Every structure is written in C-alpha cells, then in structure tokens.
Amino acid sequence: MSKIGRPSLKTVLKGTTVAGLAAVMLSTGIPAQVYQSFAEPVTVAAPQVPSFADVVSAVSPAVVSVRVKSDATPVSDDSGNGFSFNFGGRGFDDLPDDHPLKRFFREFGNQMPGGPRGQDHAQRNPNRPHYLRPVAQGSGFFISEDGYVVTNNHVVSDGSAYTVVMNDGTELDAKLVGKDSRTDLALLKVDAKRKFTYVKFADDAKTRVGDWVVAVGNPFGLGGTVTAGIVSARGRDIGSGPYDDFIQVDAAVNRGNSGGPTFNLEGEVVGINTAIFSPSGGNVGIAFAIPASTAKDVIADLMKDGKVERGWLGVQIQPVTQDIAESLGLAEAKGALVVAPQDNSPGAKAGIKQGDVITAVNGEPVKDARDLAKKVAAIGPNQKVEVSIWRDGKAQSLPVMLGNLASDEATKAEKTQSEPDSQPSSEKALADLGITVAPAEDGKGVSVTDVDPGSEAAAKGLREGEKITSVNNQQVSSARDVTKALEAARKDGRTRALFQVESQSGSRFMALPINQG
C-alpha cells in the first residue's frame, strides 16, 4: 500500500505566479499574511555646488550695523506733528477724515514732541535738556581687533553720536576718527576691553569679472543679512567724483547696506558697498562697491591722523575721445585733456595751458582723466613730478611741484564760476558746421546763436547761448577766426577740429568734423 504525503512547499511554489500563490496557500493550509506596499519617496542626487555658509559664519561677527544720531531736526510733514507718512503713495492729508490713523493724530498729535503744543513748550523752555535723534543707519565692519570700524562717509557725515550693533545684538558706542568725502569712506573707533573679530582687505587686482561675492549688511535696519552674486564689472565711473573706480556686483544691495563689506570666498573684503542703480529705489541687481585697494590706502591715512592728503595739480580735465585725438594729431585716444588750469594752481604756475593733453606723470602713461586724478592724488602733496604733455602737435615735459588738495587754496580754486549769457550783435553762418555764431559782447570768443538740430554739433551737445572760445587751441573772437582755424586744420590733413565751449556749467572741449557735408 502506497503512502501519499503532503507535497513540499518548494514543489508547490515551483513555477507558481503571485496570483496563484494565494490559491495554493489556501488549498495547502499555509497561513496567509498580507503586507501593504508603498512607493519610495522621491530623491534627487543633486550636483555639488559651492556653499557660502562657511564664509558667512566666519565673517559675520566682524560685520556691524551702524546707527547715527544727531541734533538735526527731522523733516516734518504738513500736519506739523514731526512725523512723515506715506500710505500706499498717499500722504497724511489724503486719508479719509474718518480714518482711524487720521483721527488718532488729530486728537493726540498736538501732544507729541514736535507738534504745535510741543513747539510752544520748546519756545517757553529754550534751556530744556537736548536730545539726539536718529538720522541714519548703515553697515560697517571691523578691520582690527582693537575696534576700528570702516563704513561710508555718507552714513556718518551728519552725525554727532554713533553706535555699532554686533551680530549678537551687543550695542557699543563709537567715535568718529575721520572721514573722506571724495571716496565716501569713514573710520569709527570702538573703545572696549575686548578683542573683536575682524577681517582684512583683499588684493582686488586678482578679483575677476564672474567671481562669486557675498555681501553682508544691514538693509532697511533688519540686521545681519547675507546676499550673494558675482562681480559684474570693474572700473565703473558713476559720476560721483574724480576717483570713481567702482566694482559692480549683482548681489542684492539695498538701503542700509551702505558701508558694509562684499567678501570673496576666502572671507576677504573686495569692496565696500556704497551705491546702487535703481529707478525704483530698491534692488535691481546693480550695486557698486569701493575697491579694497582704494579703501586700504584711505583708511590707513585716516587711522594715522584722521585725514587724507592728496597731491593737487589744479587743472580741469576731460577724457580724450577718438575724435579729439584725431583733431589734435594724437595717435591714440589716451591721456587727459586740459580744459583750463585753475588760477594760481601748481599746474598753472608750471605752465600747463588749456588744450594741453597730459600723457604721462613721472614717465607712467596716463590712460584717461580718472587715471590722471588717481596718479596725482597717490603721489601726495609737496612732491616734484615730471608731467608729459602734447601741445601744438609736439610732445614736451614740464616739472611741477604738486600742492595739497586738502588746502584752502585748492578748495577755493575748485569752485565753479558761472558765465553770463552773451547776446549776439551780428550773425554770420558757418553752414558746414551747422551752427550760427556772433561776436561775444566781452570780445572773448563767439556766441552760438543757432544750432542745426541735425548737425553733429547738436549731437555732441552744443547748444544755443553757449560760447566758443577757441578752435584747435587758437583763440577766436569772430566767425572769420573760426574759419581761419578750420583752414589751418585742413592744411595739416586733419578731418576734425577741437572746439572749446563755455557755458554756465563750465568749460569743455568737443571735436567737430571740418566738412559736415
């Protein structure tokens, strides 16, 4: 008699599908247990990108907020309560009469400092205690362990008391060591029995367009805020002064970031945030920082004696364009064109004349007007230099003893004097230039009485009422003099002539084609 046993599980499951497995388990008496199945969560293997966290954690203790107070009276609104409001573009008086804010200030505003009652009280008590008011806030950073803080001049310029707020919230009083309006830099000093975390200036000559940078500051008074971007451009001239040489970055910079540092990924300061380009008033990705090389020299002078001394040549200059270079017979559009030497300035005493092109200082070529200003400033006052010029188609050199730009004499010479408008007495046309001129009343130059809107003269900015004083550095007092100068330029093979133009805003040069056609 044969004995049939229960088949083994291996035999049963051989070749069985999952669907059939349940049936087999039921038929064979194998207990069934059901498990619920879920999909795996989404994960992405992201590429490794640089993080700014290490840089930020290292430099943040060195960055501070700067609060400035003064006894200056704040600007009041028309309600006379000492406050200024803007509600979605509307002023205080534009609010409905039943608006809760308007009712509040109508009822209680007169009792506030600066309100009518407060003013009466002030007039009755002229010897009352004097209180400082907040007038500005910005950013800054420590550059030494003993408490020197760098910021912008425009942040502290109106202040009489200063406070720095560290990233841990500690508030410390500071005093103003010195400031420099020409580069918009200032130096504060915190006296405290402690060592501060500080940062150092980078060699910004190694900073390249496209490098990552991190800006740390105090936008809108929010406290330590970090933004990142890249260096967008170098050597920017934004018209703020003769030493413009800004680094442009696209890191988000807003009001309150002024005076704060922009770091490279090594934690070094490559620039000090100073200005933004913004049609709206907010960040649009175009910010300008003072280069570390400029800041380093200025701050060293301020730390030494609280002031900056610069060499002074004393000449009004403008860039040499390709047109101007061609009109003067220069091979390249380089150097600085002298519009006018200032009275009693070192340049005037040395014999520099209007129309000269300064091409080098102590043998170092001058690239443009800004380069000349920087070179002279860096040499310092009371130094003898050799100035190379281009005059009347020839190169020559003049020895010059530089003055001190901080002197009263230099300050007085820099003031612009306005020229009165001249009325024409008789007119003669210069049809080839598209302008009409007449002798000036003072006998110096010719007055422009009409400019053809389609002429190159109009395109270059020549306007009716301005005065032409020289052509190719030859003084003119009539249309005939202008014609003679143009004929002489033609004989020299030049296609353009250099016109010196005076207006109420000063004197300038422009190159115009001899034959406009």
Side-chain angles (χ1 to χ4, degrees), residues 219-244:
F220 303 112
L222 295 173
T225 299
V226 180
T227 56
I230 62 169
V231 175
S232 303
R234 299 200 54 179
R236 286 297 197 213
D237 181 357
I238 63 175
S240 66
Y243 309 114
D244 280 14

Side-chain angles (χ1 to χ4, degrees), residues 105-187:
F105 282 103
R106 186 186 300 116
E107 182 175 354
F108 298 105
N110 288 346
Q111 301 176 21
M112 293 184 173
R117 294 184 187 179
Q119 293 170 357
D120 292 341
H121 180 74
Q123 293 171 358
R124 292 195 303 268
N125 298 277
N127 296 322
R128 73 189 189 283
H130 195 63
Y131 297 100
L132 297 177
R133 303 172 184 269
V135 293
Q137 62 181 2
S139 305
F141 56 97
F142 286 107
I143 58 166
S144 67
E145 67 175 14
D146 58 346
Y148 281 100
V149 176
V150 175
T151 186
N152 278 147
N153 171 69
H154 76 258
V155 172
V156 303
S157 59
D158 294 328
S160 53
Y162 313 94
T163 302
V164 299
V165 184
M166 302 180 65
N167 71 327
D168 61 0
T170 303
E171 297 187 11
L172 300 168
D173 291 335
K175 63 180 180 180
L176 180 64
V177 176
K179 56 186 179 180
D180 179 48
S181 60
R182 296 178 184 275
T183 54
D184 196 18
L185 289 168
L187 184 66

Side-chain angles (χ1 to χ4, degrees), residues 3 21 27-28 31 70 74 141 149 155 178 184 270 285 294 315 341-342 369 455 466 513:
K3 185 176 180 181
L21 177 60
S27 63
T28 58
S70 175
F141 56 97
V149 176
V155 172
D184 196 18
V270 297
T294 300
V315 291
Q342 296 164 345
S455 66
E466 296 182 326

Side-chain angles (χ1 to χ4, degrees), residues 242-254:
Y243 309 114
D244 280 14
D245 187 23
F246 290 100
I247 296 174
Q248 180 183 327
V249 300
D250 70 348
V253 172
N254 290 284

Side-chain angles (χ1 to χ4, degrees), residues 396-418:
Q396 52 185 291
S397 296
L398 297 172
V400 181
M401 179 64 72
L402 297 180
N404 190 344
L405 188 58
S407 67
D408 293 337
E409 183 182 10
T411 303
K412 183 178 179 181
E414 282 192 330
K415 292 182 178 179
T416 304
Q417 298 181 352
S418 298

Side-chain angles (χ1 to χ4, degrees), residues 32 83 163 191 343 462 513:
F83 295 85
T163 302
D191 291 322
D343 293 340
L462 186 63

Side-chain angles (χ1 to χ4, degrees), residues 199-483:
V199 291
K200 67 178 183 178
F201 290 111
D203 179 3
D204 61 69
K206 298 179 181 179
T207 301
R208 301 181 302 165
V209 174
D211 281 350
W212 281 108
V213 289
V214 178
V216 185
N218 177 36
F220 303 112
L222 295 173
T225 299
V226 180
T227 56
I230 62 169
V231 175
S232 303
R234 299 200 54 179
R236 286 297 197 213
D237 181 357
I238 63 175
S240 66
Y243 309 114
D244 280 14
D245 187 23
F246 290 100
I247 296 174
Q248 180 183 327
V249 300
D250 70 348
V253 172
N254 290 284
R255 296 175 185 173
N257 275 109
S258 290
T262 291
F263 295 100
N264 59 23
L265 297 188
E266 285 73 46
E268 300 170 328
V269 179
V270 297
I272 295 92
N273 300 317
T274 297
I276 61 174
F277 176 80
S278 175
S280 63
N283 169 63
V284 294
I286 299 179
F288 302 101
I290 301 168
S293 55
T294 300
K296 188 176 182 179
D297 293 339
V298 171
I299 295 303
D301 285 348
L302 292 178
M303 191 179 294
K304 182 173 62 177
D305 55 12
K307 60 183 179 180
V308 180
E309 291 188 339
R310 296 184 174 91
W312 176 49
L313 186 59
V315 291
Q316 183 184 346
I317 54 178
Q318 72 177 59
V320 177
T321 64
Q322 188 61 48
D323 290 345
I324 289 175
E326 186 176 332
S327 70
L328 294 175
L330 280 168
E332 296 181 288
K334 293 183 178 180
L337 178 61
V338 178
V339 177
Q342 296 164 345
D343 293 340
N344 298 318
S345 67
K349 293 176 181 178
I352 295 177
K353 300 178 181 180
Q354 66 180 26
D356 289 345
V357 176
I358 299 176
T359 58
V361 177
N362 284 342
E364 294 186 11
V366 172
K367 294 183 291 185
D368 51 32
R370 282 191 300 151
D371 189 37
L372 174 64
K374 290 174 63 178
K375 278 183 167 58
V376 171
I379 292 172
N382 306 318
Q383 299 292 321
K384 189 174 183 179
V385 297
E386 197 75 17
V387 177
S388 302
I389 63 172
W390 180 265
R391 178 188 295 172
D392 298 330
K394 298 178 182 178
Q396 52 185 291
S397 296
L398 297 172
V400 181
M401 179 64 72
L402 297 180
N404 190 344
L405 188 58
S407 67
D408 293 337
E409 183 182 10
T411 303
K412 183 178 179 181
E414 282 192 330
K415 292 182 178 179
T416 304
Q417 298 181 352
S418 298
E419 288 282 339
D421 286 336
S422 301
Q423 299 296 327
S425 58
S426 64
E427 295 186 357
K428 291 186 179 180
L430 291 172
D432 55 341
L433 292 174
I435 61 176
T436 303
V437 300
E441 287 185 347
D442 58 5
K444 299 178 181 179
V446 292
S447 297
V448 179
T449 59
D450 187 57
V451 182
D452 181 355
S455 66
E456 187 166 343
K460 288 289 181 68
L462 186 63
R463 298 291 181 263
E464 180 181 340
E466 296 182 326
K467 187 167 68 171
I468 299 172
T469 58
S470 71
V471 178
N472 281 346
N473 297 320
Q474 300 297 316
Q475 300 297 318
V476 296
S477 58
S478 66
R480 182 181 178 85
D481 291 341
V482 176
T483 303

